[in-house]
Amino acid sequence: MFHAASSPIPSPRPPRPGRDAFFDNAKYLAIVLVAVAHSWEPLKGDSRTLQAAYMFVYAFHMPAFIVVSGFFSRSFDGSSDRLRRLITGVAVPYVVFETAYPLFRQAVDGQPMDITLLDPWYLTWFLVALFIWRLTTPVWKLVRWPLPLALVLAMLASVTPGIGDDLDLQRVLQFLPFFVLGLCLKPEHFRLVRRRSVRIAAVPVFALALTFAYWAVPRMNTAWFYHRDAAQELAAPWWVGPVMQLALFGCSLLLTACFFAWVPGRTLWFTALGAGTLYGYLLHGFLIKAADYRGVFARPFFHTHLGMLTVSLAVAAAVTVLCSGPVRRVFRCVVEPRMDWAFRKDPVRAAQEREPRREKVSA
């Protein structure tokens, strides 16, 4: 897809104290699957096996990432500090990358592309979704049955083509149950799926899922896994939308649990990279699109089994580098900008900061 598989991978620093190695490992492995699956998109048409692997991975890689995002959004309460981090860590990167991707295409491919902040392009939809999901977190923490309500909204969205493409609201609503599920989970729930018995049971479940995906390749529209269209837009009767929503939610939830069961809980060489998954997510798209614009994927070698394997390994190595400390330091100004100049100072905090100074003076 882009970099050679032999790209050097810098040794990450140890994770910061207080971080759970399991979640950092889960985020890193999920983002590798996201990037690798993106690299299969232009190649999968030549191989039923690759199409099956693509469908299999798409069934759980984003749900797993979203569940973890929801789990770590439980503390969002709408306070000024939380809103500031939401703006600088989600809204600003969305504006930056939603602008950068069209400019990048024009520079590399020579094709002009409109810049619009209302129609997320490629992978920036996740930032819009995360912004909306986190803003609504207090509501989900307030209602009595948050997950059933989120499922009802997702089912209604699947039969409402009139929602349109603005802010990719179809995806926002159809993926919403996974975020709400993450909000509802507690650490002990993750410990349950990491038991040895679950880990063993995950092996035949994965095998059956892969077998089913191979069978389903010529029989099922892969677009169902994107959650970006209503049933009518996929040439299906309206009632199929809610049925598919429930079926895919159950399937994705089962495979996500199996994925978590096999995520290591100890600190490994890639654990620290879990803190940089947003960098890997936002930046790997430039590499994939550059390869696509330059016709790399059209070369015959990459349509062989060895070529597909080479692409997969290269992408895994590339996204690993993009999650590393040096890359994060370079791009922190656009992915996690501080922007203290843009916000008013909290008067309560300012008074608290002044109080110690007065005590020192009086002493």
Side-chain angles (χ1 to χ4, degrees):
M1 140 122 63
F2 16 58
H3 289 162
S6 59
S7 298
I9 301 174
S11 300
R13 295 178 179 176
R16 290 178 294 176
R19 296 188 67 95
D20 190 325
F22 168 78
F23 290 108
D24 279 334
N25 292 338
K27 289 193 295 181
Y28 166 76
L29 294 174
I31 204 62
V32 168
L33 289 176
V34 168
V36 170
H38 281 161
S39 74
W40 290 344
E41 174 67 31
L43 303 174
K44 62 184 177 66
D46 295 330
S47 170
R48 182 171 177 176
T49 301
L50 189 62
Q51 284 180 298
Y54 179 86
M55 187 180 294
F56 169 74
V57 171
Y58 256 81
F60 71 91
H61 73 337
M62 282 309 296
F65 205 72
I66 293 169
V67 166
V68 173
S69 298
F71 180 76
F72 282 100
S73 298
R74 294 173 303 157
S75 61
F76 186 87
D77 55 6
S79 63
S80 58
D81 284 345
R82 302 291 183 187
L83 288 172
R84 180 180 302 189
R85 282 195 286 271
L86 182 63
I87 293 171
T88 58
V90 179
V92 171
Y94 171 71
V95 173
V96 170
F97 284 88
E98 183 63 18
T99 303
Y101 271 110
L103 294 177
F104 178 77
R105 178 171 185 175
Q106 185 170 353
V108 177
D109 196 29
Q111 295 187 17
M113 184 176 174
D114 293 336
I115 296 175
T116 171
L117 299 181
L118 295 179
D119 187 9
W121 187 72
Y122 195 34
L123 45 72
T124 58
W125 71 269
F126 178 71
L127 294 177
V128 172
L130 187 59
F131 186 86
I132 295 174
W133 293 334
R134 279 195 177 154
L135 274 183
T136 60
T137 292
V139 175
W140 302 113
K141 292 163 67 175
L142 178 66
V143 298
R144 180 167 294 181
W145 300 291
L147 186 55
L149 177 58
L151 281 169
V152 168
L153 290 177
M155 293 164 65
L156 290 175
S158 70
V159 298
T160 314
I163 289 178
D165 297 327
D166 288 351
L167 298 180
D168 239 350
L169 286 180
Q170 275 288 359
R171 272 178 165 166
V172 172
L173 293 173
Q174 291 192 33
F175 273 115
L176 174 63
F178 297 104
F179 182 82
V180 174
L181 174 63
L183 289 175
C184 298
L185 292 178
K186 298 178 180 178
E188 51 264 33
H189 295 130
F190 289 94
R191 287 194 290 269
L192 284 175
V193 300
R194 293 162 60 192
R195 293 178 299 177
R196 186 172 183 270
S197 59
V198 180
R199 191 175 298 114
I200 294 172
V203 176
V205 171
F206 274 151
L208 287 173
L210 273 169
T211 303
F212 177 81
Y214 188 85
W215 172 86
V217 165
R219 298 174 176 86
M220 183 176 178
N221 189 345
T222 310
W224 284 107
F225 294 96
Y226 302 151
H227 294 285
R228 65 186 179 198
D229 299 296
Q232 298 91 322
E233 296 172 293
L234 298 177
W238 70 267
W239 58 266
V240 175
V243 173
M244 286 298 292
Q245 277 297 311
L246 290 177
L248 288 176
F249 180 77
C251 174
S252 298
L253 185 57
L254 177 61
L255 293 178
T256 297
C258 292
F259 168 73
F260 286 143
W262 276 96
V263 171
R266 64 188 185 279
T267 300
L268 299 171
W269 65 267
F270 57 78
T271 300
L273 299 173
T277 50
L278 185 59
Y279 293 79
Y281 179 80
L282 292 173
L283 295 173
H284 84 271
F286 291 103
L287 303 177
I288 293 179
K289 288 301 180 182
D292 191 21
Y293 297 154
R294 291 300 184 183
V296 173
F297 294 122
R299 297 174 184 174
F301 169 72
F302 293 114
H303 291 262
T304 65
H305 292 297
L306 180 59
M308 294 172 188
L309 178 61
T310 300
V311 166
S312 302
L313 294 176
V315 172
V319 77
T320 298
V321 173
L322 293 177
C323 293
S324 65
V327 174
R328 288 160 56 191
R329 283 191 290 273
V330 171
F331 289 97
R332 183 168 285 122
C333 59
V334 292
V335 179
E336 296 178 293
R338 291 185 58 87
M339 295 182 60
D340 292 336
W341 54 269
F343 301 99
R344 294 179 179 177
K345 198 160 188 178
D346 187 348
V348 176
R349 175 175 292 184
Q352 291 174 345
E353 291 175 353
R354 286 194 298 268
E355 192 63 31
R357 297 195 199 110
R358 292 174 183 170
E359 291 177 359
K360 288 181 181 180
V361 172
S362 60

